Amino acid sequence: CMISIFFTGTSSTLSKLQAALIGFARVTLTPAGADLQVYELRNIEDVKHVPKIPSSPVFLILAAKEPKLIEQIRGYKISGIFFLPLDGVSIKRKIITLFKVQVSDQNVGDDFETVKIKILAKAETITALPAFAQKLFKLTQNDASTIAEITEQIKMDQSISGKVIRMVNSPFFGLRQSIGSIDRAVVLLGFNTLKNIALVAATTAYYNKNFEMYKMNGTELFNHAYRVALVSEELSSGCGVDKDLVFLAGLLHDIGKILLADFLVKPVQTSDDEIRQLGTDHQSVAELILNRWQLPEDIIQIVKSHHAPINTTPSQIIYYANQLDHAKEGGEQSFSLCISKALSVLPIKEPEQTAERVKKIIFEENE
């Protein structure tokens, strides 16, 4: 028997919700007998349709990301929040978790729905990326900015330029001569490589916090993100995929953890563990952050699906890059099994050489 969902909102969103949940749930406009309720909020006026004391679990679809709207729903009992475009996999997972997990287990130190609102509000205030990093993102999208303009902006930020120079001179790049300037780095490494290094340097500051509940520190989490970015770039060879796209998606795939780390009160190992505590996971929170940073929708969708890949090559690349870096914890045998699976799925032209390069990235120390 399918779940029955009572929906209030626009006909357009109704159609999208029905399509996302086809075969899983029956979405109707009749409240009688509904297992849960879904309300689309486009403005503050729509909030009046949401019951303060609901007879069944309530989910919201926020069609507008206005701080005043978020503030208005703070006092409501809410079991989940979704955003457009609707992700059927994420919605199903949250609904299944809702019915599987006892409320007493979800509420750890704070009301379940209140925690989710706080996470949402914090996502709206997260520090913006440096101006030059935003230009780098736009350059990846064929912006008119020139190499000279970008390198000048990097040089103007002493903290970032210092990090870039240190990374360029690390053993990972194997340069025979020491590099002392951004201009020289461009000549020896090429602008695309320098651009990616600068993006890495620009994101390090977000990991300067306590990630104890993820059983690691900020440096370890950041290094994992960097390795996934490098492996993603390597796996893209021969796949006809934009290397810049997968590098950036790999670098940002765990960015949602920088917010969830502030709310977790018990150690977690999986996304399901996050949902049990907070009603959301780091993939969904990453969507909030990346939307705020105005990143392209294709990057956001890849990041959202890095634990449950969609049927696209970039999504598969990020999924396997993440799996490969985690596989190293099981040693070379675990890595070999994972890389064999990745190479059987991805259309890579030089599988043996790619496997060796990926192994070097994962197992050799790099800055």
Side-chain angles (χ1 to χ4, degrees):
C1 182
M2 287 194 295
I3 294 169
S4 175
I5 299 176
F6 166 60
F7 173 79
T8 297
T10 62
S11 58
S12 172
T13 300
L14 170 63
S15 299
K16 292 173 183 175
L17 185 62
Q18 289 173 326
L21 300 179
I22 189 169
F24 175 81
R26 182 171 58 90
V27 185
T28 75
L29 303 179
T30 304
D35 297 303
L36 56 88
Q37 308 168 48
V38 176
Y39 296 86
E40 180 184 15
L41 303 185
R42 295 159 297 169
N43 50 55
I44 292 177
E45 280 297 307
D46 288 337
V47 178
K48 66 184 181 182
H49 298 298
V50 183
K52 284 209 168 185
I53 306 177
S55 57
S56 58
V58 169
F59 287 82
L60 301 179
I61 296 175
L62 292 191
K65 297 172 184 176
E66 299 179 9
K68 289 183 179 179
L69 185 57
I70 295 170
E71 187 65 31
Q72 280 289 103
I73 59 178
R74 184 181 292 274
Y76 289 76
K77 293 186 70 66
I78 299 165
S79 296
I81 299 174
F82 307 124
F83 297 90
L84 299 175
L86 297 175
D87 178 2
V89 173
S90 176
I91 295 173
K92 291 173 188 176
R93 185 171 65 241
K94 289 184 180 180
I95 292 174
I96 291 171
T97 302
L98 173 71
F99 286 113
K100 277 186 176 179
V101 181
Q102 295 296 317
V103 174
S104 59
D105 188 37
Q106 293 172 332
N107 297 339
V108 184
D110 203 346
D111 289 338
F112 190 35
E113 66 276 6
T114 302
V115 172
K116 288 183 290 183
I117 297 300
K118 286 180 179 178
I119 292 171
L120 183 62
K122 191 159 188 174
E124 292 296 317
T125 61
I126 191 169
T127 306
L129 284 167
F132 87 88
Q134 295 180 36
K135 283 202 170 187
L136 290 179
F137 288 138
K138 291 180 180 178
L139 186 64
T140 302
Q141 304 168 60
N142 300 316
D143 187 77
S145 302
T146 67
I147 292 176
E149 288 173 339
I150 299 299
T151 53
E152 284 304 312
Q153 289 222 3
I154 295 174
K155 287 189 287 186
M156 287 173 63
D157 190 317
Q158 293 185 353
S159 173
I160 296 298
S161 60
K163 290 178 181 177
V164 169
I165 293 300
R166 285 197 300 275
M167 294 175 74
V168 167
N169 286 308
S170 70
F172 178 76
F173 289 99
L175 297 176
R176 295 182 178 179
Q177 53 185 290
S178 178
I179 306 300
S181 71
I182 298 297
D183 292 326
R184 185 64 177 158
V186 172
V187 172
L188 292 178
L189 294 176
F191 179 69
N192 282 338
T193 298
L194 181 72
K195 171 174 65 65
N196 287 340
I197 294 172
L199 286 171
V200 170
T203 57
T204 56
Y206 296 102
Y207 294 86
N208 293 332
K209 63 192 307 179
N210 185 356
F211 291 96
E212 182 182 2
M213 294 305 165
Y214 284 105
K215 301 180 181 179
M216 62 177 65
N217 58 42
T219 299
E220 291 168 332
L221 185 58
F222 170 76
N223 285 342
H224 165 66
Y226 185 27
R227 286 193 299 270
V228 170
L230 291 170
V231 171
S232 298
E233 186 179 42
E234 190 61 54
L235 292 177
S236 70
S237 300
C239 290
V241 170
D242 185 340
K243 288 187 176 183
D244 287 340
L245 176 77
V246 295
F247 182 93
L248 183 55
L251 182 64
L252 299 175
H253 79 283
D254 271 347
I255 198 71
K257 291 181 179 180
I258 70 172
L259 280 191
L260 290 193
D262 294 335
F263 296 92
L264 292 167
V265 296
K266 295 193 298 186
V268 298
Q269 294 214 356
T270 67
S271 297
D272 287 340
D273 292 340
E274 295 170 335
I275 293 174
R276 289 187 184 97
Q277 281 195 54
L278 306 174
T280 190
D281 54 34
H282 66 276
Q283 303 97 287
S284 300
V285 174
E287 180 183 12
L288 302 178
I289 296 172
L290 301 185
N291 268 314
R292 175 170 169 73
W293 288 349
Q294 298 183 326
L295 265 66
E297 183 61 29
D298 49 1
I299 289 178
I300 296 174
Q301 292 304 315
I302 294 169
V303 170
K304 279 178 59 181
S305 63
H306 74 267
H307 283 300
I310 54 179
N311 191 28
T312 67
T313 301
S315 179
Q316 296 280 353
I317 285 173
I318 302 302
Y319 169 76
Y320 281 111
N322 184 49
Q323 291 292 309
L324 283 163
D325 194 55
H326 286 305
K328 75 177 184 296
E329 297 169 10
E332 293 197 16
Q333 183 177 3
S334 177
F335 171 82
S336 296
L337 290 172
C338 192
I339 191 67
S340 296
K341 177 63 176 177
L343 295 176
S344 70
V345 172
L346 299 171
I348 295 173
K349 292 181 179 178
E350 300 180 335
E352 292 184 5
Q353 296 91 325
T354 298
E356 283 302 313
R357 290 193 291 266
V358 169
K359 184 177 180 180
K360 180 179 179 181
I361 291 170
I362 289 178
F363 285 97
E364 290 190 9
E365 290 294 327
N366 58 77
E367 192 176 332

